Coordinates of all heavy atoms in Angstrom, one line a residue:
Y13 N -20.6 42.8 -0.4 CA -19.6 43.0 0.6 C -20.3 43.2 1.9 O -21.6 43.2 2.0 CB -18.7 44.1 0.3 CG -19.4 45.4 -0.1 CD1 -19.8 46.3 0.9 CD2 -19.7 45.7 -1.4 CE1 -20.5 47.5 0.5 CE2 -20.4 46.9 -1.8 CZ -20.8 47.7 -0.8 OH -21.4 48.9 -1.1
D35 N -20.6 57.2 17.2 CA -19.7 57.5 16.1 C -20.0 58.9 15.6 O -19.1 59.6 15.1 CB -19.9 56.5 15.0 CG -19.3 55.1 15.2 OD1 -18.6 55.0 16.2 OD2 -19.6 54.2 14.5
A52 N -14.4 55.6 0.1 CA -13.5 55.9 -1.0 C -13.7 54.9 -2.2 O -13.8 53.7 -1.9 CB -12.1 55.8 -0.5
T65 N -34.6 69.5 0.7 CA -33.4 70.5 0.8 C -32.4 69.9 1.8 O -31.3 69.5 1.4 CB -33.9 71.9 1.4 OG1 -34.9 72.4 0.5 CG2 -32.7 72.8 1.5
T116 N -38.9 58.4 -0.6 CA -40.0 58.1 -1.4 C -41.3 58.0 -0.6 O -41.3 58.4 0.6 CB -39.8 56.8 -2.3 OG1 -40.8 56.7 -3.2 CG2 -39.7 55.6 -1.4
S129 N -31.4 44.5 -4.3 CA -30.3 45.1 -4.8 C -28.9 44.5 -4.3 O -28.0 44.6 -5.1 CB -30.3 46.6 -4.4 OG -30.2 46.8 -3.0
T133 N -28.8 50.1 1.8 CA -29.9 50.9 1.5 C -30.3 51.7 2.7 O -30.5 51.1 3.8 CB -31.1 50.1 0.9 OG1 -30.6 49.3 -0.2 CG2 -32.2 51.0 0.5
I146 N -34.9 61.2 13.3 CA -35.1 60.9 14.7 C -33.7 60.6 15.3 O -33.5 61.0 16.5 CB -36.1 59.7 14.9 CG1 -37.5 60.3 15.1 CG2 -35.7 58.9 16.1 CD1 -38.0 61.2 14.1
A148 N -30.9 62.0 14.4 CA -30.3 63.3 14.6 C -31.0 64.1 15.8 O -30.3 64.8 16.5 CB -30.5 64.1 13.3
G158 N -27.6 65.3 27.9 CA -27.3 64.0 28.4 C -28.3 62.9 27.9 O -29.1 63.2 27.1
T164 N -38.8 63.0 29.2 CA -40.2 63.1 28.6 C -40.1 64.0 27.3 O -39.7 65.1 27.4 CB -41.2 63.7 29.6 OG1 -41.2 62.9 30.8 CG2 -42.6 63.8 29.0
N174 N -45.0 60.4 9.7 CA -43.8 59.5 9.7 C -42.9 59.9 10.8 O -42.3 59.0 11.4 CB -43.1 59.6 8.4 CG -42.8 60.9 7.8 OD1 -43.0 61.9 8.5 ND2 -42.4 61.0 6.6
I180 N -42.2 57.0 18.1 CA -42.9 56.0 18.9 C -42.0 54.8 19.1 O -41.8 54.3 20.2 CB -44.2 55.6 18.2 CG1 -45.3 56.7 18.4 CG2 -44.7 54.2 18.7 CD1 -46.5 56.5 17.5
E189 N -40.2 58.6 28.0 CA -41.6 58.7 27.9 C -41.9 59.6 26.6 O -41.3 60.7 26.5 CB -42.2 59.4 29.1 CG -43.7 59.6 29.0 CD -44.3 60.2 30.3 OE1 -43.5 60.5 31.2 OE2 -45.5 60.5 30.3
A193 N -49.6 65.0 21.5 CA -50.8 65.8 21.6 C -51.3 66.1 20.1 O -50.6 66.8 19.3 CB -50.5 67.2 22.2
P195 N -55.2 66.3 17.7 CA -56.7 66.1 17.6 C -57.0 64.6 17.2 O -56.1 64.0 16.6 CB -57.1 67.1 16.6 CG -55.9 67.4 15.8 CD -54.8 67.2 16.7
A202 N -53.4 53.1 16.9 CA -53.2 52.4 18.2 C -52.2 51.2 18.1 O -51.5 51.0 19.1 CB -54.5 52.0 18.7
K211 N -43.4 53.5 27.2 CA -44.3 54.4 27.9 C -44.7 55.5 26.9 O -44.1 56.5 26.7 CB -43.6 55.1 29.1 CG -44.5 55.8 30.0 CD -43.8 56.3 31.3 CE -44.8 56.9 32.2 NZ -44.0 57.4 33.5
Y229 N -41.5 69.1 20.8 CA -41.1 68.8 19.4 C -42.4 68.9 18.5 O -43.5 68.6 18.9 CB -40.6 67.4 19.3 CG -40.0 67.0 18.0 CD1 -38.6 66.9 17.9 CD2 -40.7 66.7 16.9 CE1 -38.0 66.6 16.7 CE2 -40.1 66.3 15.7 CZ -38.8 66.3 15.6 OH -38.2 65.9 14.4
G237 N -47.4 65.5 -0.1 CA -48.3 64.5 -0.5 C -49.7 64.8 0.1 O -50.7 64.1 -0.3
A256 N -45.0 80.5 23.3 CA -44.4 80.9 24.7 C -45.3 80.3 25.8 O -44.7 79.9 26.8 CB -44.3 82.4 24.8
K260 N -43.9 77.5 28.7 CA -43.9 77.7 30.1 C -44.4 76.5 30.9 O -44.1 76.4 32.1 CB -44.8 79.0 30.4 CG -44.1 80.3 30.1 CD -45.1 81.4 30.4 CE -44.4 82.8 30.0 NZ -45.3 83.9 30.4
Y275 N -43.3 76.2 9.3 CA -44.3 77.2 8.8 C -44.7 78.0 10.0 O -45.6 77.6 10.7 CB -45.4 76.4 8.1 CG -45.0 75.7 6.9 CD1 -44.5 74.5 6.9 CD2 -45.0 76.4 5.6 CE1 -44.0 73.9 5.7 CE2 -44.5 75.8 4.5 CZ -44.0 74.6 4.5 OH -43.5 74.0 3.4
I292 N -32.6 74.5 17.2 CA -33.3 74.0 16.0 C -32.3 73.8 14.8 O -32.4 72.9 14.0 CB -34.5 74.8 15.6 CG1 -35.6 74.6 16.7 CG2 -35.1 74.5 14.2 CD1 -36.7 75.6 16.7
H301 N -23.9 65.0 10.3 CA -23.0 64.2 11.1 C -23.6 62.8 11.4 O -22.9 61.8 11.3 CB -22.7 64.9 12.4 CG -22.3 66.3 12.2 ND1 -21.2 66.7 11.4 CD2 -22.8 67.5 12.7 CE1 -21.0 68.0 11.4 NE2 -22.0 68.5 12.2

Side-chain angles (χ1 to χ4, degrees):
Y13 49 87
D35 288 348
T65 300
T116 191
S129 67
T133 302
I146 267 53
T164 299
N174 50 9
I180 286 171
E189 179 182 357
K211 194 174 182 180
Y229 190 101
K260 287 181 180 179
Y275 292 89
I292 291 168
H301 309 305

